Amino acid sequence: MTSNTPYPPALDAGLETERLSQTIKDWSIANGLAVRPPPALVGQNQDPEGILAINAPVTLFPSPFPKSCFEEAKAIQTNYNELYARISQDEEFLGRLVQEVADGDDFIAKLWEIHLKVKEEGYVQNLSLGLFRSDYMVHQDGDHLQIKQVEFNTIASSFGGLSAQTSLLHQHLSKTEYPLLTTPIPPNTLNLPANTSAHSLAAGLHAAYEAYGPSILNHPTCILFIVQDGERNIFDQRHLEYSLQQSSIPVFRLPFSQLLTHTTLSPTPLRQLLYHLPHNPSQIFEVAVTYLRAGYGPNDYPAPSSWLARRRIETSNTIPCPTILTQLAGMKKVQQVLATPPGPSTLAKFIPDEEKSSALWRTFTNIYPLDSSSPAGREARRLATDPKECLKYVMKPQREGGGNNFYKGAIPEQLKKVPEEHWNSFILMELITPPAVQNTILRQGKLEKGGVICELGVYGTCLWDQKTGQVKHNEEAGYLLRTKGDQSEEGGVAAGFGCMDSVALV
């Protein structure tokens, strides 16, 4: 790819586009770049046997992405892993922030309540595992490009499985299809970096499994994936499972709603978490690692039994991914406190190495509290309620997953619905201005062509001891590129806003 060559190339609206689209459709299904169809597409209860799959939404071409920004994001991921591992160990720091948002956020308050109950009972597992993802957009300031962090995910950081497959798809097309286009892209023209996200995330789970060690109860040990009912993004998760199973590690999936039914705690001081196979309850596995792909939002806790299920994980000897404290470390409030003056001193508390903390600080954008007691909070309230000033911002609650944020003119309207004393459960973030990029998205068989915005996520895996602070495993673990139309504000693929993509470094 050269600066003089239009990219991506224009496609003939007929057979050329049809051929490329069909190749992507077939390759995606053949290689598990897929999701279960939404009920709206196939009709309610029209797939009772769970046999249908459709292509995950994906771009026809890998999107151009600045090489320097990509390399910077990957290079600092282990610093971010270390930062959030240390934040997770600081109960006093997290408790103070929870108290600031809890009055307006029952979900956060309930998570903290479960932590306190387990703390009173006594934690029996000191090891904690994080499968993290730090999300960025490229901010363009004149001719200067720099990565700015959108958010840091500490629970259910998804799409590592599909992201690796998307990279393979675009690499395949670069060898077989792009050279045949009317405006060809010769082989080896695009700089497409390898992406090991599925394997690397599985390696983090594997490290925790090995650290757990053999069962003292003489049960076989396993890794348990806790998932949502009716999970559509199942193939993304399966790629991680299959990678683990290649290492002969037993892996099972259990809906969060069925955890109390199919698990028990051993009657020993260590309270081992025991999984009873649903089809053969006498066959028992000791759960070495519990990987939560559910439990990140209020909808996963529809009944008191849901909270009992989360408490069972937390109170047992399994290595949780994540603990409640690690989940709370992913609050947007934490991100805001790190980025708001005196943010550098707060950051230095956790990362005293000046070179590391400076590298992290450079990725922060302007984020403000919405409290009424601090100067920054009062200024943010003014910005958020001003009809013109609010157009530069996004307002975020303490939530994971897409579809929860309020953008620009929707901010003052939302604040009118919220009691002022609860405004501090939100944070106000300055919008990032990305460079213009063109691409075409293939979504449910239809093409969406035009301007797009790309969001880079870098995965990290970290295993540490909550008691001693010792880090036993800390690795960067591949990347995710999500792309959305430039008129869309949200970017979550699972929430229906974005699509899968990969980078072509420029």
Side-chain angles (χ1 to χ4, degrees):
M1 192 193 320
T2 67
S3 57
N4 298 323
T5 305
Y7 182 87
L11 297 177
D12 176 88
L15 293 177
E16 186 171 55
T17 298
E18 182 181 335
R19 174 186 168 88
L20 183 57
S21 298
Q22 192 60 51
T23 298
I24 291 173
K25 293 174 191 176
D26 293 345
W27 191 99
S28 296
I29 292 298
N31 291 274
L33 181 51
V35 294
R36 296 287 187 205
L41 188 65
V42 297
Q44 199 71 32
N45 301 319
Q46 294 301 304
D47 186 26
E49 304 302 325
I51 61 171
L52 299 181
I54 61 172
N55 304 124
V58 67
T59 54
L60 297 194
F61 298 91
S63 291
F65 198 90
K67 182 180 179 182
S68 59
C69 294
F70 181 78
E71 291 177 344
E72 180 185 359
K74 286 174 71 74
I76 61 173
Q77 184 59 39
T78 54
N79 295 350
Y80 263 116
N81 294 347
E82 182 182 348
L83 169 63
Y84 276 84
R86 291 183 176 174
I87 291 172
S88 300
Q89 295 165 49
D90 194 331
E91 182 192 22
E92 181 182 353
F93 174 76
L94 286 173
R96 187 169 69 252
L97 299 188
V98 165
Q99 295 310 312
E100 289 187 29
V101 304
D103 285 347
D105 195 319
D106 292 340
F107 179 65
I108 294 295
K110 191 67 176 178
L111 284 172
W112 185 252
E113 180 185 326
I114 294 296
H115 159 67
L116 293 179
K117 287 179 179 178
V118 177
K119 178 185 176 184
E120 184 178 359
E121 188 177 2
Y123 279 95
V124 293
Q125 176 58 263
N126 293 327
L127 294 181
S128 183
L129 175 65
L131 265 57
F132 299 139
R133 195 185 72 226
S134 186
D135 293 337
Y136 307 92
M137 293 175 71
V138 175
H139 180 67
Q140 184 167 21
D141 185 5
D143 294 332
H144 182 57
L145 299 176
Q146 57 187 141
I147 55 167
K148 291 296 181 181
Q149 189 183 62
V150 177
E151 64 181 358
F152 193 88
N153 303 275
T154 61
I155 181 171
S157 302
S158 58
F159 291 109
L162 295 191
S163 182
Q165 299 308 105
T166 304
S167 294
L168 292 175
L169 166 67
H170 286 151
Q171 289 166 16
H172 170 75
L173 295 174
S174 73
K175 297 172 184 175
T176 62
E177 297 297 324
Y178 300 159
L180 305 178
L181 299 175
T182 304
T183 305
I185 304 175
N188 303 316
T189 302
L190 299 176
N191 186 354
L192 306 180
N195 186 8
T196 63
S197 52
H199 174 77
S200 296
L201 289 170
L205 291 163
H206 193 163
Y209 178 81
E210 292 294 330
Y212 186 89
S215 168
I216 62 174
L217 301 177
N218 296 319
H219 293 304
T221 54
C222 73
I223 295 177
L224 190 61
F225 281 42
I226 304 300
V227 301
Q228 294 176 324
D229 288 301
E231 176 62 71
R232 291 184 53 232
N233 195 28
I234 185 171
F235 304 108
D236 175 54
Q237 300 167 7
R238 288 290 193 188
H239 286 300
L240 272 64
E241 293 176 47
Y242 298 152
S243 182
L244 288 164
Q245 288 166 340
Q246 287 178 357
S247 300
S248 300
I249 298 175
V251 181
F252 301 102
R253 298 171 59 82
L254 182 64
F256 191 35
S257 62
Q258 298 178 26
L259 190 139
L260 292 179
T261 303
H262 298 297
T263 68
T264 58
L265 295 179
S266 68
T268 69
L270 283 179
R271 300 194 292 271
Q272 288 90 346
L273 184 64
L274 305 178
Y275 174 61
H276 304 257
L277 294 184
H279 64 279
N280 183 13
S282 62
Q283 178 67 56
I284 299 173
F285 283 80
E286 184 173 329
V287 183
V289 182
T290 302
Y291 175 39
L292 276 80
R293 290 294 292 261
Y296 55 82
N299 290 342
D300 287 327
Y301 300 84
S305 59
S306 308
W307 290 105
L308 292 176
R310 186 62 187 274
R311 182 175 176 179
R312 177 171 292 182
I313 295 170
E314 199 79 2
T315 197
S316 77
N317 193 46
T318 189
I319 298 175
C321 180
T323 63
I324 283 179
L325 288 178
T326 303
Q327 180 173 349
L328 290 170
M331 289 188 297
K332 304 303 183 288
K333 185 66 180 177
V334 171
Q335 186 185 9
Q336 174 258 303
V337 168
L338 292 173
T340 304
S345 62
T346 305
L347 183 59
K349 170 186 175 183
F350 298 108
I351 304 292
D353 184 292
E354 187 174 347
E355 184 177 351
K356 287 183 179 181
S357 62
S358 295
L360 295 174
W361 180 258
R362 285 194 296 270
T363 68
F364 293 167
T365 190
N366 292 324
I367 311 177
Y368 305 97
L370 278 167
D371 62 271
S372 59
S373 57
S374 70
R378 290 191 293 272
E379 173 63 8
R381 288 186 171 211
R382 184 190 70 80
L383 295 171
T385 53
D386 185 288
K388 292 184 178 179
E389 294 287 355
C390 71
L391 301 179
K392 305 172 187 176
Y393 295 92
V394 54
M395 186 174 73
K396 297 184 177 185
Q398 316 300 316
R399 290 287 177 274
E400 301 285 353
N404 297 307
N405 301 329
F406 301 92
Y407 290 81
K408 303 179 181 178
I411 297 173
E413 292 304 312
Q414 177 61 22
L415 287 175
K416 289 177 184 177
K417 303 174 186 177
V418 179
E420 281 198 38
E421 61 269 24
H422 293 166
W423 286 12
N424 61 354
S425 63
F426 296 89
I427 59 101
L428 192 71
M429 175 184 286
E430 191 172 55
L431 287 168
I432 300 166
T433 306
V437 177
Q438 297 287 314
N439 213 325
T440 301
I441 297 170
L442 178 62
R443 189 193 311 276
Q444 295 181 7
K446 294 181 172 58
L447 295 175
E448 305 168 8
K449 182 180 179 181
V452 297
I453 295 171
C454 301
E455 184 172 313
L456 177 72
V458 178
Y459 296 102
T461 57
C462 192
L463 178 69
W464 68 93
D465 190 307
Q466 280 282 107
K467 204 169 197 178
T468 67
Q470 180 187 9
V471 175
K472 298 177 176 290
H473 171 97
N474 183 7
E475 300 288 343
E476 178 262 312
Y479 81 91
L480 162 71
L481 192 70
R482 288 175 296 176
T483 292
K484 60 186 179 182
D486 59 9
Q487 301 305 307
S488 173
E489 292 172 329
E490 293 284 1
V493 180
F497 303 104
C499 78
M500 303 299 300
D501 198 351
S502 73
V503 302
L505 299 178
V506 293

